[in-house]
Amino acid sequence: MVHGLMKTSTKLLNICIDSLCKSRNLQKAESLLIDGIRLGVLPNVITYNSLINGYSRFVGIDEAYAVTHRMREAGIKPDVSTYNSLISGAAKQLLLTRAHQLFDEMLRSGLSPDMRSYNTLMSLYFKLGRHGDAFRILNEDVHLAGLSPRVDTYNILLDALCKSGHIDNAVELFKYIKSRVKPELMTYNILINGLCRSRRVSSANWMLRELERAGYTPNAVTYTTMLKMYFKTKMIEKGLKLFLKMKKEGYTFDGYASCAVVSALIKTGRAEEAYQCMHELVRSGRRSGDIVSYNTLLNLYFKDGNLDAVDDLLEEIERKGLKPDDYTHTIIVNGLLSIGHTGGAEKHLACLGEMGMQPSVVTCNCLIDGLCKAGHVDRAMRLFSSMEIRDEFTYTSVVHNLCKDGRLVCASKLLLLFYNKGMKIPSSARRAVLSGLRMTVSYQAARKTHHKFKAAIKSNAIADP
DNA sequence: CTAGGGTTAG
């Protein structure tokens, strides 16, 4: 009798602790655990697994691993679930070696990894761009372990194919797996997202119909994905119409769709409607209060020139203990540049460095472009030289701005260098250099440079595929 | 374990 009651209590304790952990309230979960022990309700492996999962997701792998010592002291041995949580914690921080260490430790403890353990490892390899290693796990390790992939494994595979630009292979794989497993709503969402990212509007709509034919109802994820595709393909009104439909039909819409709508409205100069949308979101009480929605709002205030609101919002972010991310810093740098405060923007970048953070490529790109446009080409070029990672935005921006500044020789030399590196630069950059050369140097010089560019692009096209 | 939102060039 007493034993039965205790079992019920532990179950209740576990439900409470798990829900606290899932909502990031790890402190409260810890004190509940202590209260439980005081009252004689003993934790079991499930209790500790919830904690480990929470620390893995929201704090860090070391903090999560520390809990395993506490559970061992309590006489409870970690199980496969424990290790799965730990491995996903390592995977979240892209710590491949750590993930493998934990995997080996699990094997040494006599535990057999399950499909989820392999899924986590595969997904990590995909995230690191090591597709070959991911497929090796699937084709060798999973087989050796006597396991077979289910729909969740295929979801990971499909998503990886979509995100690495192999959407056609993803669709092919989808057709193949349909004969083996029943696709989930998530499976359809992954494919729709892949099609939307490559702007295949009609294929995305076809996949949406397939989703419905399979008996599913589109959810907030499906609609947000479609919404973004409309904005990306400049079909703003169509996107807004879909947003209205989501609201009207009472779909489980949340802050995700609103952020996408607000940013599209800002980009098309409709600040008034953007404010309205943001206010609606706050009123609905669905604002999740995460850094993404703050970034969206911050961008809106900057673009609207509402600097007092910017100050207040930055203060609020700090007060709430939210960590500004790369997007936040980019928005701030861009905002400072837009009000002509180039020194402030440079200072912000320097501050990041002092705090031991690397500014992102995007942040640097914005500063380079802003400095150039404000006439400080030399300062921009100094930043350009110091960058370790550059992308096509960096190059395009630098070439265009050098041309505008009349430094055509420099621009053409750099462009040639980028072509030789195999970078994909929009043809507008080449046209800017050539027309500049024609106007300020000579038709002859432009023609010679044109040939050089063509040769570089051609030799790269052969070396690349 | 796996799906959707926010920043930059032309």
Side-chain angles (χ1 to χ4, degrees):
Chain A
M1 184 63 194
V2 174
H3 185 65
L5 250 170
M6 284 319 274
K7 262 167 77 176
T8 312
S9 310
T10 299
K11 215 170 180 175
L12 269 174
L13 177 79
N14 285 347
I15 292 168
C16 296
I17 288 193
D18 192 55
S19 98
L20 285 171
C21 288
K22 288 208 166 98
S23 53
R24 314 182 79 124
N25 287 313
L26 293 164
Q27 280 297 334
K28 281 187 187 157
E30 290 284 7
S31 34
L32 186 58
L33 177 65
I34 294 167
D35 288 345
I37 293 170
R38 270 200 203 119
L39 292 168
V41 184
L42 294 180
N44 60 12
V45 66
I46 298 171
T47 327
Y48 284 107
N49 283 350
S50 293
L51 277 172
I52 288 175
N53 206 6
Y55 282 109
S56 273
R57 276 172 64 184
F58 303 123
V59 188
I61 179 64
D62 292 321
E63 290 80 357
Y65 192 79
V67 180
T68 64
H69 297 306
R70 283 161 52 198
M71 69 195 280
R72 284 208 166 88
E73 278 162 25
I76 298 163
K77 275 180 69 179
D79 63 7
V80 175
S81 262
T82 316
Y83 278 102
N84 282 344
S85 294
L86 289 168
I87 296 170
S88 21
K92 195 172 183 288
Q93 296 174 58
L94 305 180
L95 302 170
L96 182 64
T97 314
R98 193 73 193 270
H100 271 293
Q101 274 170 4
L102 289 160
F103 201 89
D104 292 341
E105 190 180 307
M106 167 164 55
L107 288 170
R108 277 200 308 277
S109 322
L111 297 166
S112 311
D114 60 10
M115 206 50 232
R116 203 185 124 181
S117 326
Y118 289 107
N119 282 345
T120 312
L121 273 189
M122 279 173 53
S123 154
L124 175 55
Y125 272 119
F126 279 130
K127 273 185 215 149
L128 296 170
R130 292 170 60 170
H131 289 215
D133 291 302
F135 279 111
R136 190 184 44 71
I137 291 176
L138 179 65
N139 295 324
E140 294 172 23
D141 301 356
V142 171
H143 267 268
L144 280 173
L147 298 166
S148 48
R150 278 202 284 265
V151 64
D152 43 10
T153 308
Y154 291 125
N155 287 342
I156 293 169
L157 238 66
L158 288 169
D159 193 47
L161 287 173
C162 288
K163 296 211 164 123
S164 56
H166 299 95
I167 179 68
D168 291 316
N169 294 341
V171 174
E172 279 305 304
L173 178 64
F174 172 68
K175 287 177 184 160
Y176 165 75
I177 65 163
K178 264 209 294 198
S179 61
R180 316 193 65 184
V181 294
K182 182 172 161 47
E184 297 175 323
L185 177 58
M186 195 188 280
T187 319
Y188 287 98
N189 282 343
I190 287 168
L191 287 160
I192 290 173
N193 187 35
L195 293 166
C196 286
R197 285 162 70 109
S198 48
R199 298 166 190 244
R200 302 212 196 158
V201 183
S202 55
S203 299
N205 275 306
W206 169 77
M207 194 57 80
L208 181 61
R209 286 194 299 275
E210 286 288 295
L211 175 158
E212 284 167 336
R213 263 193 354 164
Y216 293 113
T217 308
N219 64 5
V221 177
T222 323
Y223 282 133
T224 312
T225 308
M226 299 292 291
L227 199 87
K228 256 211 80 179
M229 176 189 67
Y230 287 134
F231 291 148
K232 203 162 67 180
T233 54
K234 303 270 175 0
M235 300 161 82
I236 309 289
E237 290 311 317
K238 211 153 183 173
L240 292 177
K241 231 171 105 184
L242 182 58
F243 186 58
L244 282 180
K245 181 180 161 174
M246 286 173 78
K247 284 198 287 189
K248 205 173 81 197
E249 295 184 6
Y251 270 106
T252 52
F253 95 88
D254 48 30
Y256 279 59
S258 302
C259 286
V261 168
V262 168
S263 95
L265 289 171
I266 298 171
K267 285 197 185 98
T268 46
R270 296 158 70 163
E272 207 48 55
E273 289 161 273
Y275 276 115
Q276 207 185 323
C277 181
M278 215 62 211
H279 289 147
E280 250 172 52
L281 178 64
V282 174
R283 260 206 310 279
S284 75
R286 282 172 159 129
R287 202 174 124 200
S288 48
D290 58 8
I291 191 66
V292 177
S293 54
Y294 276 102
N295 285 343
T296 309
L297 196 54
L298 191 64
N299 191 33
L300 174 58
Y301 288 150
F302 263 126
K303 289 274 153 68
D304 194 44
N306 195 345
L307 297 181
D308 289 331
V310 164
D311 281 338
D312 290 345
L313 198 65
L314 287 174
E315 208 173 277
E316 192 180 327
I317 289 173
E318 202 178 329
R319 202 173 55 241
K320 292 236 166 103
L322 283 168
K323 213 176 126 33
D325 63 6
D326 289 338
Y327 283 81
T328 323
H329 297 305
T330 305
I331 292 165
I332 292 171
V333 165
N334 246 339
L336 291 170
L337 289 168
S338 73
I339 55 170
H341 210 327
T342 52
E346 284 177 306
K347 215 179 259 171
H348 190 82
L349 205 75
C351 275
L352 287 184
E354 278 164 30
M355 292 194 297
M357 291 188 285
Q358 277 284 348
S360 75
V361 198
V362 183
T363 313
C364 293
N365 288 348
C366 292
L367 188 51
I368 286 184
D369 199 58
L371 285 173
C372 287
K373 295 214 161 93
H376 308 297
V377 181
D378 287 321
R379 269 149 74 184
M381 290 311 285
R382 230 170 287 142
L383 175 59
F384 175 79
S385 312
S386 73
M387 286 169 72
E388 284 166 23
I389 309 164
R390 301 165 186 153
D391 64 9
E392 68 218 70
F393 280 85
T394 328
Y395 299 129
T396 310
S397 169
V398 164
V399 169
H400 274 284
N401 282 306
L402 284 173
C403 287
K404 239 184 263 171
D405 199 47
R407 307 191 194 186
L408 290 153
V409 179
C410 186
S412 80
K413 269 187 189 160
L414 275 178
L415 190 54
L416 196 63
L417 196 78
F418 306 151
Y419 284 140
N420 282 326
K421 277 189 178 175
M423 303 293 307
K424 301 227 180 328
I425 317 279
S427 52
S428 63
R430 191 181 65 216
R431 285 198 301 271
V433 172
L434 296 176
S435 80
L437 283 174
R438 261 196 302 272
M439 310 251 266
T440 60
V441 187
S442 70
Y443 189 82
Q444 209 72 350
R447 237 180 52 172
K448 249 169 85 179
T449 310
H450 187 47
H451 285 307
K452 273 194 218 165
F453 286 162
K454 271 183 132 173
I457 294 169
K458 201 175 162 190
S459 72
N460 242 301
I462 296 163
D464 193 27

